[in-house]
Amino acid sequence: SYELTQPPSVSVSPGQTARITCSGDALPKQYAYWYQQKPGQAPVLVIYKDSERPSGIPERFSGSSSGTTVTLTISGVQAEDEADYYCQSADSSGTYEVFGGGTKLTVL
Amino acid sequence: EVQLVESGGGLVKPGGSLRLSCAASGFTFSNAWMSWVRQAPGKGLEWVGRIKSKTDGGTTDYAAPVKGRFTISRDDSKNTLYLQMNSLKTEDTAVYYCTTGCDYPRFDYWGQGTLVTVSS
């Protein structure tokens, strides 16, 4: 079955830039989506179609794509950005959605 | 305002069945492709399956771990999404979310989730 691979954890100091990667063989042909989830809450969409930002999401959140890897970048990280982040995409057929294993972002 | 409210979770024995509901409001439910996503305790998100709108065929697709055991359906007259879960296993224990968005598979809106515990 198709898998998306994320690093389990990323740590940054406030004001620095955090980069979270997501790798998958079908990413060159399928869009990626990114979600932020804080403890006890439902996920929140922060990036769609690789690099688009929904309304209400701060400009410090951005996304990019290169080959089989997509990257969520958080510039000028704030304490409130500490959360789990998940990428989502589809398999090569476009039928089945998959989430990455999640990355815990720690703000030191 | 879009609202998704799940219900029907609870404790069930292995091999048992449960039906979850998701009441939707604030958008044209009949036009929406709806999905279920689950999250086991302390684990990541897992896509369970999706149902298309009736105008797009109303077809369903499921993740491999639940295919043949779970069934997604919808009642557009009641603005309600369902998840019928049969032959439940301990590994199905999770919070189940219903979700939809502006353009599938974009998940802009999520319910609060309902906890399903499968245990003897």
Side-chain angles (χ1 to χ4, degrees):
Chain A
S1 61
Y2 184 54
E3 293 184 354
L4 296 172
T5 302
Q6 298 181 234
S9 62
V10 168
S11 299
V12 296
S13 298
Q16 291 190 326
T17 296
R19 293 181 180 85
I20 300 173
T21 59
C22 172
S23 299
D25 289 342
L27 287 174
K29 62 179 293 191
Q30 301 292 348
Y31 284 123
Y33 302 78
W34 288 95
Y35 299 86
Q36 176 194 70
Q37 187 181 34
K38 295 181 179 179
Q41 298 182 19
V44 173
L45 178 71
V46 295
I47 293 290
Y48 66 98
K49 289 187 177 179
D50 292 347
S51 59
E52 300 296 319
R53 194 174 50 250
S55 61
I57 299 302
E59 290 184 8
R60 63 180 182 273
F61 288 87
S62 64
S64 61
S65 175
S66 179
T68 58
T69 299
V70 293
T71 302
L72 172 68
T73 300
I74 310 172
S75 304
V77 166
Q78 301 182 4
E80 67 199 51
D81 299 330
E82 186 164 284
D84 294 324
Y85 290 85
Y86 296 92
C87 61
Q88 171 217 335
S89 189
D91 69 344
S92 56
S93 74
T95 301
Y96 305 100
E97 295 298 311
V98 174
F99 287 92
T103 298
K104 182 175 181 58
L105 175 66
T106 300
V107 182
L108 301 170
Chain B
E1 179 195 6
V2 172
Q3 280 200 315
L4 299 169
V5 180
E6 302 95 338
S7 61
L11 176 63
V12 60
K13 288 181 167 52
S17 297
L18 207 58
R19 189 178 82 157
L20 307 183
S21 300
C22 171
S25 60
F27 63 102
T28 306
F29 180 78
S30 60
N31 290 345
W33 292 27
M34 301 295 298
S35 298
W36 289 96
V37 173
R38 69 183 180 181
Q39 187 169 34
K43 303 297 184 183
L45 302 173
E46 180 182 22
W47 181 79
V48 172
R50 174 226 69 227
I51 186 167
K52 296 181 180 180
S53 64
K54 284 193 168 53
T55 55
D56 289 320
T59 55
T60 53
D61 283 290
Y62 301 93
V66 308
K67 192 170 184 178
R69 301 187 298 122
F70 289 13
T71 302
I72 299 173
S73 61
R74 62 192 301 157
D75 185 337
D76 290 345
S77 68
K78 295 183 178 178
N79 287 353
T80 302
L81 176 73
Y82 301 102
L83 179 64
Q84 177 67 44
M85 303 184 294
N86 298 331
S87 303
L88 282 160
K89 306 175 181 180
T90 55
E91 52 263 42
D92 295 319
T93 293
V95 172
Y96 285 74
Y97 296 99
C98 70
T99 181
T100 190
C102 301
D103 181 20
Y104 185 86
R106 173 179 163 176
F107 299 144
D108 297 84
Y109 310 110
W110 298 69
Q112 85 287 352
T114 187
L115 177 62
V116 173
T117 303
V118 185
S119 174
S120 55

